[in-house]
Amino acid sequence: MSALHLLSAAGVSVWLDDLSRERIESGSLEEDIHALSIVGVTTNPSIFQAAVSGSSQYDYLLSTMAARGASAEEAVRELTTADVRDACDILHHVYQHSHGVDGRVSIEVDPRLAHDSIGTIEQARALWDEVGRENLMIKIPATVEGLPAITTALTEGISVNVTLIFSLARYRAVVDAFLSGLEGAVAAGRDVSRLGSVASFFVSRVDTEVDTRLRATGQDSGLCGIAAIANARLAYEHHEHVLTTQRWATLAAHGARPQRPLWASTSVKDPAYPDTMYVDELVAPGVVNTMPEATLRAFQDHGEAHEGGWNTIEGTYHEAQSAFSHLEKAGIDMADVTAQLEREGVEKFIASWEDLLATVGKALA
């Protein structure tokens, strides 16, 4: 078995953090599902911006839209939902084989709605209807305003990928929003057995910010590169705890499936670190790791894979708490770090979305 197949056997669902018309039409997505053990796809505004601006595959669609006078907003919506719909169809056999656990494709609401609860839920409904595939997930940011939208979407039977989670406190709030949404769906008489959700916990960006702060104060000795993995491991500890509660047991009795932690931003930003670090150190059953192609292929080539399953999170919680204590003593305010990362994450996605609108607008003209 390949390294990625062994990772899957250890309970980690391997998702691809990329999508384009070229991947769909060339057949490479279908090929990679088998070769790289891919069982899901995530997208974001940056991925779509890169796909559309760097390819001629969209030219015909854009020309037909221009002929009928479509706006840039309408064209972007049509292009992105078409790609996601086709990816959902390609992955539908995975969805069926996994009984609705995997085979999921995610599309994000307009990032400019990150602080607009009502606007977010309205667009979540519209995207769900427009793509029209049961293996779709709507990505909703884990901002304070995003939390009620997460609950409402799930209550209405819309599967949700909660994105841009950086802090443990916000992750706990996301889990509560998820449970409330499932409870609402059960109360409404919905079948929750195929209602899916993942909580996308961003990893590498945490180390990038913490390491920058440590080096700025000259306190980086032995402390760089430990914050992100500790943060993610403590999130998994909370996930495990939730599954032992009576609240979850009641939902599980109705057929509900857990909201799986998803490790996002898993490409290493510091070349001094091993390029598979955020895969190797976060192996546990019942998680998702969504990776850009470079990280996927790096792990396939030289990742620390083991036969018979393995777990690099179990038994690490005391060590993770100790890492946080050392960082605090070094003057690192993790609440401030994660608040800044959330602001920057929203801003970066807005910038990519506006670049995408400008690119498409120019093409239409």
Side-chain angles (χ1 to χ4, degrees):
M1 295 176 71
S2 72
L4 286 166
H5 286 92
L6 288 170
L7 184 66
S8 299
V12 178
S13 289
V14 177
W15 290 9
L16 172 67
D17 194 28
D18 193 33
L19 185 64
S20 65
R21 177 58 32 188
E22 186 172 354
R23 279 190 184 277
I24 291 166
E25 294 187 346
S26 69
S28 71
L29 177 58
E30 182 71 62
E31 292 169 8
D32 288 345
I33 288 170
H34 303 287
L36 301 178
S37 196
I38 291 169
V39 293
V41 169
T42 50
T43 68
N44 61 46
S46 300
I47 286 170
F48 281 129
Q49 198 280 329
V52 175
S53 63
S55 172
S56 61
Q57 299 287 115
Y58 298 91
D59 289 354
Y60 175 74
L61 288 171
L62 286 167
S63 67
T64 61
M65 293 176 197
R68 69 169 191 266
S71 67
E73 295 267 359
E74 291 167 338
V76 165
R77 177 77 159 265
E78 203 167 318
L79 291 176
T80 55
T81 54
D83 279 4
V84 168
R85 185 183 303 110
D86 288 348
C88 282
D89 291 342
I90 291 169
L91 280 152
H92 192 260
H93 69 283
V94 177
Y95 175 77
Q96 292 287 68
H97 181 72
S98 66
H99 304 289
V101 175
D102 283 309
R104 301 281 186 166
V105 183
S106 298
I107 187 170
E108 190 152 349
V109 297
D110 186 332
R112 296 171 298 182
L113 298 172
H115 300 294
D116 179 350
S117 301
I118 295 174
T120 294
I121 189 57
E122 288 176 348
Q123 190 168 104
R125 290 170 181 146
L127 288 170
W128 184 258
D129 290 342
E130 192 164 342
V131 174
R133 297 294 187 271
E134 63 180 348
N135 54 328
L136 176 68
M137 278 187 171
I138 305 297
K139 291 181 81 173
I140 296 176
T143 55
V144 170
E145 297 84 358
L147 297 173
I150 293 162
T151 296
T152 301
L154 289 162
T155 295
E156 295 182 7
I158 297 171
S159 293
V160 175
N161 177 338
V162 185
T163 188
L164 289 176
I165 306 173
F166 295 98
S167 75
L168 292 168
R170 187 58 55 81
Y171 174 59
R172 294 186 189 101
V174 165
V175 172
D176 185 67
F178 162 72
L179 296 172
S180 295
L182 286 188
E183 288 161 349
V186 168
R190 297 186 186 278
D191 176 7
V192 294
S193 63
R194 291 281 174 130
L195 190 56
S197 184
V198 293
S200 296
F201 213 84
F202 279 50
V203 185
S204 66
R205 295 187 195 182
V206 175
D207 273 343
T208 300
E209 181 59 29
V210 170
D211 290 0
T212 298
R213 296 186 184 203
L214 286 168
R215 288 166 181 151
T217 59
Q219 300 185 79
D220 56 326
S221 178
L223 294 179
C224 286
I226 67 171
I229 290 170
N231 204 36
R233 285 173 169 173
L234 292 175
Y236 188 78
E237 180 185 33
H238 182 66
H239 165 70
E240 286 190 309
H241 166 71
V242 168
L243 297 184
T244 68
T245 63
Q246 183 57 49
R247 189 179 183 189
W248 174 250
T250 300
L251 288 166
H254 288 278
R257 299 179 183 273
Q259 181 187 57
R260 292 181 292 170
L262 179 150
W263 313 132
S265 183
T266 53
S267 60
V268 173
K269 307 300 189 290
D270 188 332
Y273 298 149
D275 58 359
T276 61
M277 171 171 143
Y278 300 121
V279 186
D280 297 331
E281 300 298 328
L282 295 173
V283 178
V287 302
V288 178
N289 195 312
T290 187
M291 306 175 229
E293 185 172 3
T295 304
L296 274 166
R297 296 197 179 278
F299 188 84
Q300 181 82 317
D301 180 66
H302 53 266
E304 294 184 13
H306 304 275
E307 292 188 6
W310 77 104
N311 189 321
T312 58
I313 295 181
E314 185 179 28
T316 65
Y317 304 140
H318 178 75
E319 177 188 345
Q321 287 286 8
S322 179
F324 270 27
S325 296
H326 288 305
L327 289 168
E328 185 179 0
K329 288 176 184 176
I332 299 300
D333 182 344
M334 286 301 296
D336 184 67
V337 166
T338 54
Q340 178 176 324
L341 289 172
E342 181 182 294
R343 288 193 301 272
E344 290 177 350
V346 172
E347 290 166 2
K348 287 175 182 177
F349 280 168
I350 288 174
S352 294
W353 191 255
E354 291 178 344
D355 286 346
L356 175 58
L357 287 169
T359 298
V360 169
K362 184 177 179 181
L364 290 171

